[in-house]
Structures are given as structure tokens and as C-alpha cells.
Amino acid sequence: MYDLGAVVPLTLTVRDSTGNLADAGSVSVTVTLPDGATVVEGPVTSTTTGVYEYGYATTAAGRHVVRWVATGVNATASTDMFDVLAADPGQIVSLSDAKKHLNIPATSTTDDAELRDFVLAATAVVERYVGAVARREHVETFDGGRPDLVLSHAPVLSVSAVVEDGETVAASGYALDAPSGVLRRVLAGAGSCWRGGVGGVEVTYLAGRTSVPANVSRAALIIVKHMWDTQRGSGGSRPLLGESEAVALNPGGTGYAIPYRALELLGEPVAGVA
């Protein structure tokens, strides 16, 4: 993963029919952005025989697809992808906290990219149990004809816009229960319901927390360490029940393996949280 604004080094290696490095007739590279727009660069010249390099300066967060095409002599093609993080990727713990927990010197950057992946993965796991922690904006649509809308991410910090049947609803027209994420229509008289048919109500809101409870951040660090140890061949096997480092699967049996110590800190999964 790359930070927004970083330059991503893209490389194509071309070989001839005997397997030796060799230049192609013409080489171009196309980067497809998350919104479907494309950036085409070409012809790209080789930096050394058979090696073509291009530095793409990122401008958007999300998944990017890279397509190299070499034509003429030694024709070939290659497709790859890379992800770009948002300016605020939404992490429960910082990279420096993860390195401190793993006793990695702050000055060492060798494993930073891998650790950031672990932190983001641990964040997703933790939020399955406690609800939204990192602050993120969400836009959701709902069917009308009901008094309450249950937002998918809670707790909710604020609601910035509500559009009902094509019309903006004033803040006085709804009431929010922030901890549960339930948004209730408020109209004069009894029996207030949201108007509109299928997908008739659109809600833009900010979910997350202004501070991270200590048990939540500690659980995230424990999960990060478990991923770190498993990747390096230590701590990856399932201990016997009763051992302190036993692990369990998330509900459904197909999620991440989480150390019991982290589960004890997190408690039961939040109902309805995906």
C-alpha cells in the first residue's frame, strides 16, 4: 500500500525467446484509477536492457490497475495492481505504537509497509467486535415507509445530510441515537415515517469515536503481534485449549484468528456489525 501523494515505482521486465533480457519495439503503461479514469504513458524507454521503469505520482485513494504493453520485437504484456491509502486510512493504533509493542526500533523502517497492513487488518477485526472506532464518513441509502433507519456503522458522531424522496431534510426533522446509529423521522403528529420508496432515503454521516478506549487499542496491538509472529513462523499454530495463547475464530468460523487475550478485552461482537 502507498500513501496518497507517494510516487509508485512501476517496472516491466522484457525477455527474448531465449530468456535473456532484451528491449521491445515499443512499450507503454496504462494506470486505471479507482474512478475508472486512465493515465497512459508511452513510449517508455528502457533504463537498462529489458528493464522499463515508470514512477506514477498518486492522486486518488483506492485500487489502481497497471497494464504494461510491449509491441513489436519481444512483444509482451503484464497486469498488476496497487492500493493507495486515504489521507486518513483509519487506524486504531499508530505505526509507532505497533513498533514499540513489537520491540522494533523506531528508526527501523524495513518492515513498515507490512506492519501498516497488519494494523489496518487488526482495525477491521476490532471494529467487528466494538463497532466503529476510526472516524470515517459513510453514505447509505434506505427504503422509505418506516419510522427508523439503522445506520450500518455506529457509534455515530454526526449526520451531515439527509435526503428524503429527493428533498433535503432539516436537522429538526430527524432524531439520532448516536450509540446505536438509529435515525428516527420526526414529524408533527404521531406515526412519523420516512417517505420514498426503494432507496428513497440517503444519509451521509460520520461514524467512529473521538477517543480510543484502552482495552480496544490494547486488543488491536495483541492482534498485530499475533499476525507478526504467525508471518515469521512463531505463534501460528493453534495451542491446546486452556493455554494462555489459544486462539479462536470469529463468528462463522471464517474470520481472522484472534488470541483469546484480545477477545477478552473486546467482549462480545456487536450485533449487526459486518
Side-chain angles (χ1 to χ4, degrees):
M1 292 189 180
Y2 295 88
D3 286 312
L4 184 62
V7 176
V8 180
L10 307 177
T11 304
L12 174 70
T13 301
V14 177
R15 298 182 183 274
D16 61 21
S17 59
T18 63
N20 295 316
L21 290 171
D23 286 343
S26 180
V27 173
S28 65
V29 59
T30 300
V31 180
T32 302
L33 280 61
D35 64 359
T38 57
V39 176
V40 181
E41 182 68 19
V44 180
T45 57
S46 58
T47 53
T48 59
T49 300
V51 178
Y52 296 81
E53 298 177 341
Y54 175 67
Y56 174 73
T58 58
T59 59
R63 186 175 187 268
H64 294 62
V65 178
V66 180
R67 176 71 173 171
W68 286 95
V69 175
T71 58
V73 63
N74 301 318
T76 187
S78 175
T79 301
D80 203 354
M81 58 81 60
F82 62 88
D83 287 309
V84 178
L85 297 173
D88 179 2
Q91 300 174 186
I92 287 180
V93 296
S94 67
L95 175 62
S96 60
D97 285 342
K99 293 167 76 169
K100 182 178 179 181
H101 186 69
L102 296 172
N103 295 316
I104 297 175
T107 54
S108 173
T109 60
T110 304
D111 301 301
D112 282 6
E114 183 180 26
L115 275 175
R116 292 182 68 179
D117 286 347
F118 289 166
V119 168
L120 289 171
T123 295
V125 172
V126 168
E127 289 188 325
R128 175 169 185 159
Y129 281 80
V130 301
V133 178
R135 295 163 61 97
R136 298 186 187 89
E137 184 177 75
H138 303 275
V139 179
E140 293 185 301
T141 57
F142 302 87
D143 297 342
R146 64 186 73 180
D148 298 333
L149 305 177
V150 181
L151 305 179
S152 299
H153 307 274
V156 176
L157 292 171
S158 61
V159 174
S160 57
V162 179
V163 177
E164 176 192 57
D165 203 17
E167 298 180 0
T168 299
V169 179
S172 59
Y174 55 83
L176 170 69
D177 181 75
S180 65
V182 173
L183 193 67
R184 173 163 296 176
R185 187 65 164 108
V186 177
L187 292 170
S192 300
C193 284
W194 292 95
R195 298 197 313 270
V198 177
V201 183
E202 180 182 271
V203 182
T204 303
Y205 64 99
L206 183 66
R209 309 184 188 208
T210 56
S211 61
V212 181
N215 65 306
V216 171
S217 59
R218 179 54 55 180
L221 289 172
I222 291 171
I223 296 170
V224 168
K225 185 177 187 304
H226 177 68
M227 294 179 181
W228 174 266
D229 291 341
T230 301
Q231 180 70 10
R232 279 146 187 80
S234 60
S237 59
R238 182 186 295 275
L240 297 174
L241 288 176
E243 293 183 350
S244 61
E245 292 301 321
V247 298
L249 292 175
N250 274 347
T254 58
Y256 295 89
I258 308 175
Y260 281 142
R261 290 182 300 152
L263 290 178
E264 290 170 354
L265 288 168
L266 295 173
E268 293 296 321
V270 176
V273 174

PDB file of all heavy atoms in Angstrom, residues 77-99:
ATOM      1  N   ALA A  77       3.056  -8.514 -22.414  1.00  0.00           N
ATOM      2  CA  ALA A  77       2.118  -7.692 -21.654  1.00  0.00           C
ATOM      3  C   ALA A  77       2.113  -8.153 -20.209  1.00  0.00           C
ATOM      4  O   ALA A  77       2.432  -9.308 -19.909  1.00  0.00           O
ATOM      5  CB  ALA A  77       0.708  -7.768 -22.237  1.00  0.00           C
ATOM      6  N   SER A  78       1.756  -7.245 -19.321  1.00  0.00           N
ATOM      7  CA  SER A  78       1.736  -7.562 -17.893  1.00  0.00           C
ATOM      8  C   SER A  78       0.710  -6.692 -17.191  1.00  0.00           C
ATOM      9  O   SER A  78       0.572  -5.500 -17.508  1.00  0.00           O
ATOM     10  CB  SER A  78       3.124  -7.328 -17.282  1.00  0.00           C
ATOM     11  OG  SER A  78       3.098  -7.522 -15.879  1.00  0.00           O
ATOM     12  N   THR A  79      -0.026  -7.293 -16.255  1.00  0.00           N
ATOM     13  CA  THR A  79      -1.027  -6.555 -15.485  1.00  0.00           C
ATOM     14  C   THR A  79      -0.753  -6.736 -13.998  1.00  0.00           C
ATOM     15  O   THR A  79      -0.457  -7.835 -13.538  1.00  0.00           O
ATOM     16  CB  THR A  79      -2.451  -7.056 -15.792  1.00  0.00           C
ATOM     17  OG1 THR A  79      -2.715  -6.900 -17.181  1.00  0.00           O
ATOM     18  CG2 THR A  79      -3.485  -6.279 -14.999  1.00  0.00           C
ATOM     19  N   ASP A  80      -0.853  -5.655 -13.259  1.00  0.00           N
ATOM     20  CA  ASP A  80      -0.650  -5.691 -11.815  1.00  0.00           C
ATOM     21  C   ASP A  80      -1.553  -4.648 -11.180  1.00  0.00           C
ATOM     22  O   ASP A  80      -2.318  -3.954 -11.887  1.00  0.00           O
ATOM     23  CB  ASP A  80       0.822  -5.420 -11.480  1.00  0.00           C
ATOM     24  CG  ASP A  80       1.220  -5.965 -10.110  1.00  0.00           C
ATOM     25  OD1 ASP A  80       0.333  -6.438  -9.377  1.00  0.00           O
ATOM     26  OD2 ASP A  80       2.410  -5.907  -9.769  1.00  0.00           O
ATOM     27  N   MET A  81      -1.511  -4.521  -9.884  1.00  0.00           N
ATOM     28  CA  MET A  81      -2.322  -3.517  -9.201  1.00  0.00           C
ATOM     29  C   MET A  81      -1.605  -3.024  -7.954  1.00  0.00           C
ATOM     30  O   MET A  81      -0.666  -3.656  -7.474  1.00  0.00           O
ATOM     31  CB  MET A  81      -3.696  -4.064  -8.830  1.00  0.00           C
ATOM     32  CG  MET A  81      -3.710  -5.302  -7.951  1.00  0.00           C
ATOM     33  SD  MET A  81      -3.483  -4.991  -6.180  1.00  0.00           S
ATOM     34  CE  MET A  81      -4.878  -3.936  -5.842  1.00  0.00           C
ATOM     35  N   PHE A  82      -2.050  -1.889  -7.444  1.00  0.00           N
ATOM     36  CA  PHE A  82      -1.568  -1.399  -6.155  1.00  0.00           C
ATOM     37  C   PHE A  82      -2.673  -0.588  -5.501  1.00  0.00           C
ATOM     38  O   PHE A  82      -3.590  -0.096  -6.170  1.00  0.00           O
ATOM     39  CB  PHE A  82      -0.285  -0.573  -6.302  1.00  0.00           C
ATOM     40  CG  PHE A  82      -0.428   0.684  -7.135  1.00  0.00           C
ATOM     41  CD1 PHE A  82      -0.826   1.886  -6.558  1.00  0.00           C
ATOM     42  CD2 PHE A  82      -0.139   0.659  -8.492  1.00  0.00           C
ATOM     43  CE1 PHE A  82      -0.954   3.039  -7.320  1.00  0.00           C
ATOM     44  CE2 PHE A  82      -0.263   1.804  -9.270  1.00  0.00           C
ATOM     45  CZ  PHE A  82      -0.663   2.996  -8.685  1.00  0.00           C
ATOM     46  N   ASP A  83      -2.610  -0.491  -4.189  1.00  0.00           N
ATOM     47  CA  ASP A  83      -3.603   0.264  -3.420  1.00  0.00           C
ATOM     48  C   ASP A  83      -2.982   1.536  -2.865  1.00  0.00           C
ATOM     49  O   ASP A  83      -1.812   1.545  -2.453  1.00  0.00           O
ATOM     50  CB  ASP A  83      -4.136  -0.574  -2.256  1.00  0.00           C
ATOM     51  CG  ASP A  83      -5.066  -1.681  -2.724  1.00  0.00           C
ATOM     52  OD1 ASP A  83      -5.996  -1.364  -3.482  1.00  0.00           O
ATOM     53  OD2 ASP A  83      -4.852  -2.834  -2.338  1.00  0.00           O
ATOM     54  N   VAL A  84      -3.786   2.592  -2.831  1.00  0.00           N
ATOM     55  CA  VAL A  84      -3.372   3.868  -2.256  1.00  0.00           C
ATOM     56  C   VAL A  84      -4.283   4.179  -1.071  1.00  0.00           C
ATOM     57  O   VAL A  84      -5.511   4.145  -1.202  1.00  0.00           O
ATOM     58  CB  VAL A  84      -3.454   5.010  -3.292  1.00  0.00           C
ATOM     59  CG1 VAL A  84      -3.064   6.338  -2.663  1.00  0.00           C
ATOM     60  CG2 VAL A  84      -2.557   4.701  -4.489  1.00  0.00           C
ATOM     61  N   LEU A  85      -3.674   4.428   0.068  1.00  0.00           N
ATOM     62  CA  LEU A  85      -4.442   4.727   1.269  1.00  0.00           C
ATOM     63  C   LEU A  85      -5.022   6.136   1.206  1.00  0.00           C
ATOM     64  O   LEU A  85      -4.449   7.032   0.581  1.00  0.00           O
ATOM     65  CB  LEU A  85      -3.545   4.609   2.502  1.00  0.00           C
ATOM     66  CG  LEU A  85      -2.969   3.223   2.797  1.00  0.00           C
ATOM     67  CD1 LEU A  85      -1.970   3.321   3.939  1.00  0.00           C
ATOM     68  CD2 LEU A  85      -4.074   2.250   3.153  1.00  0.00           C
ATOM     69  N   ALA A  86      -6.145   6.321   1.873  1.00  0.00           N
ATOM     70  CA  ALA A  86      -6.704   7.667   2.016  1.00  0.00           C
ATOM     71  C   ALA A  86      -5.789   8.501   2.900  1.00  0.00           C
ATOM     72  O   ALA A  86      -4.921   7.969   3.598  1.00  0.00           O
ATOM     73  CB  ALA A  86      -8.099   7.581   2.621  1.00  0.00           C
ATOM     74  N   ALA A  87      -5.972   9.813   2.863  1.00  0.00           N
ATOM     75  CA  ALA A  87      -5.148  10.689   3.695  1.00  0.00           C
ATOM     76  C   ALA A  87      -5.239  10.276   5.156  1.00  0.00           C
ATOM     77  O   ALA A  87      -4.246  10.323   5.895  1.00  0.00           O
ATOM     78  CB  ALA A  87      -5.583  12.143   3.509  1.00  0.00           C
ATOM     79  N   ASP A  88      -6.433   9.868   5.593  1.00  0.00           N
ATOM     80  CA  ASP A  88      -6.621   9.269   6.917  1.00  0.00           C
ATOM     81  C   ASP A  88      -7.114   7.847   6.685  1.00  0.00           C
ATOM     82  O   ASP A  88      -8.303   7.626   6.456  1.00  0.00           O
ATOM     83  CB  ASP A  88      -7.635  10.062   7.738  1.00  0.00           C
ATOM     84  CG  ASP A  88      -7.871   9.448   9.119  1.00  0.00           C
ATOM     85  OD1 ASP A  88      -7.211   8.437   9.448  1.00  0.00           O
ATOM     86  OD2 ASP A  88      -8.711   9.983   9.873  1.00  0.00           O
ATOM     87  N   PRO A  89      -6.224   6.855   6.729  1.00  0.00           N
ATOM     88  CA  PRO A  89      -6.637   5.490   6.403  1.00  0.00           C
ATOM     89  C   PRO A  89      -7.507   4.828   7.459  1.00  0.00           C
ATOM     90  O   PRO A  89      -8.093   3.781   7.211  1.00  0.00           O
ATOM     91  CB  PRO A  89      -5.300   4.753   6.254  1.00  0.00           C
ATOM     92  CG  PRO A  89      -4.355   5.516   7.115  1.00  0.00           C
ATOM     93  CD  PRO A  89      -4.792   6.944   7.024  1.00  0.00           C
ATOM     94  N   GLY A  90      -7.596   5.422   8.646  1.00  0.00           N
ATOM     95  CA  GLY A  90      -8.447   4.856   9.686  1.00  0.00           C
ATOM     96  C   GLY A  90      -7.776   3.729  10.436  1.00  0.00           C
ATOM     97  O   GLY A  90      -8.105   2.559  10.240  1.00  0.00           O
ATOM     98  N   GLN A  91      -6.831   4.061  11.286  1.00  0.00           N
ATOM     99  CA  GLN A  91      -6.105   3.072  12.072  1.00  0.00           C
ATOM    100  C   GLN A  91      -6.416   3.260  13.552  1.00  0.00           C
ATOM    101  O   GLN A  91      -6.424   4.384  14.047  1.00  0.00           O
ATOM    102  CB  GLN A  91      -4.597   3.209  11.855  1.00  0.00           C
ATOM    103  CG  GLN A  91      -4.163   3.023  10.418  1.00  0.00           C
ATOM    104  CD  GLN A  91      -2.688   3.297  10.217  1.00  0.00           C
ATOM    105  OE1 GLN A  91      -2.204   3.303   9.098  1.00  0.00           O
ATOM    106  NE2 GLN A  91      -1.957   3.537  11.292  1.00  0.00           N
ATOM    107  N   ILE A  92      -6.633   2.142  14.254  1.00  0.00           N
ATOM    108  CA  ILE A  92      -6.894   2.229  15.691  1.00  0.00           C
ATOM    109  C   ILE A  92      -5.626   2.579  16.450  1.00  0.00           C
ATOM    110  O   ILE A  92      -5.646   3.348  17.410  1.00  0.00           O
ATOM    111  CB  ILE A  92      -7.496   0.908  16.202  1.00  0.00           C
ATOM    112  CG1 ILE A  92      -8.938   0.785  15.717  1.00  0.00           C
ATOM    113  CG2 ILE A  92      -7.437   0.813  17.721  1.00  0.00           C
ATOM    114  CD1 ILE A  92      -9.634  -0.473  16.158  1.00  0.00           C
ATOM    115  N   VAL A  93      -4.508   2.000  16.039  1.00  0.00           N
ATOM    116  CA  VAL A  93      -3.219   2.294  16.665  1.00  0.00           C
ATOM    117  C   VAL A  93      -2.261   2.799  15.600  1.00  0.00           C
ATOM    118  O   VAL A  93      -2.420   2.523  14.408  1.00  0.00           O
ATOM    119  CB  VAL A  93      -2.625   1.062  17.383  1.00  0.00           C
ATOM    120  CG1 VAL A  93      -3.515   0.636  18.533  1.00  0.00           C
ATOM    121  CG2 VAL A  93      -2.439  -0.093  16.412  1.00  0.00           C
ATOM    122  N   SER A  94      -1.261   3.533  16.017  1.00  0.00           N
ATOM    123  CA  SER A  94      -0.298   4.097  15.086  1.00  0.00           C
ATOM    124  C   SER A  94       0.794   3.089  14.744  1.00  0.00           C
ATOM    125  O   SER A  94       0.991   2.085  15.443  1.00  0.00           O
ATOM    126  CB  SER A  94       0.342   5.351  15.684  1.00  0.00           C
ATOM    127  OG  SER A  94       1.143   4.999  16.807  1.00  0.00           O
ATOM    128  N   LEU A  95       1.508   3.369  13.686  1.00  0.00           N
ATOM    129  CA  LEU A  95       2.647   2.538  13.305  1.00  0.00           C
ATOM    130  C   LEU A  95       3.697   2.546  14.406  1.00  0.00           C
ATOM    131  O   LEU A  95       4.281   1.506  14.736  1.00  0.00           O
ATOM    132  CB  LEU A  95       3.249   3.040  11.993  1.00  0.00           C
ATOM    133  CG  LEU A  95       4.520   2.345  11.512  1.00  0.00           C
ATOM    134  CD1 LEU A  95       4.273   0.869  11.234  1.00  0.00           C
ATOM    135  CD2 LEU A  95       5.055   3.044  10.260  1.00  0.00           C
ATOM    136  N   SER A  96       3.927   3.705  15.005  1.00  0.00           N
ATOM    137  CA  SER A  96       4.936   3.789  16.068  1.00  0.00           C
ATOM    138  C   SER A  96       4.538   2.977  17.291  1.00  0.00           C
ATOM    139  O   SER A  96       5.385   2.342  17.930  1.00  0.00           O
ATOM    140  CB  SER A  96       5.171   5.255  16.461  1.00  0.00           C
ATOM    141  OG  SER A  96       3.978   5.849  16.936  1.00  0.00           O
ATOM    142  N   ASP A  97       3.237   2.944  17.614  1.00  0.00           N
ATOM    143  CA  ASP A  97       2.775   2.131  18.744  1.00  0.00           C
ATOM    144  C   ASP A  97       2.960   0.644  18.453  1.00  0.00           C
ATOM    145  O   ASP A  97       3.332  -0.129  19.338  1.00  0.00           O
ATOM    146  CB  ASP A  97       1.298   2.414  19.037  1.00  0.00           C
ATOM    147  CG  ASP A  97       1.086   3.742  19.739  1.00  0.00           C
ATOM    148  OD1 ASP A  97       2.062   4.265  20.303  1.00  0.00           O
ATOM    149  OD2 ASP A  97      -0.047   4.255  19.713  1.00  0.00           O
ATOM    150  N   ALA A  98       2.696   0.240  17.197  1.00  0.00           N
ATOM    151  CA  ALA A  98       2.873  -1.162  16.819  1.00  0.00           C
ATOM    152  C   ALA A  98       4.343  -1.557  16.915  1.00  0.00           C
ATOM    153  O   ALA A  98       4.676  -2.644  17.419  1.00  0.00           O
ATOM    154  CB  ALA A  98       2.348  -1.394  15.407  1.00  0.00           C
ATOM    155  N   LYS A  99       5.238  -0.687  16.454  1.00  0.00           N
ATOM    156  CA  LYS A  99       6.678  -0.987  16.514  1.00  0.00           C
ATOM    157  C   LYS A  99       7.152  -1.066  17.962  1.00  0.00           C
ATOM    158  O   LYS A  99       7.950  -1.944  18.322  1.00  0.00           O
ATOM    159  CB  LYS A  99       7.459   0.064  15.730  1.00  0.00           C
ATOM    160  CG  LYS A  99       7.189   0.003  14.244  1.00  0.00           C
ATOM    161  CD  LYS A  99       7.702   1.206  13.506  1.00  0.00           C
ATOM    162  CE  LYS A  99       9.182   1.181  13.309  1.00  0.00           C
ATOM    163  NZ  LYS A  99       9.633   2.224  12.354  1.00  0.00           N
TER     164      LYS A  99
END
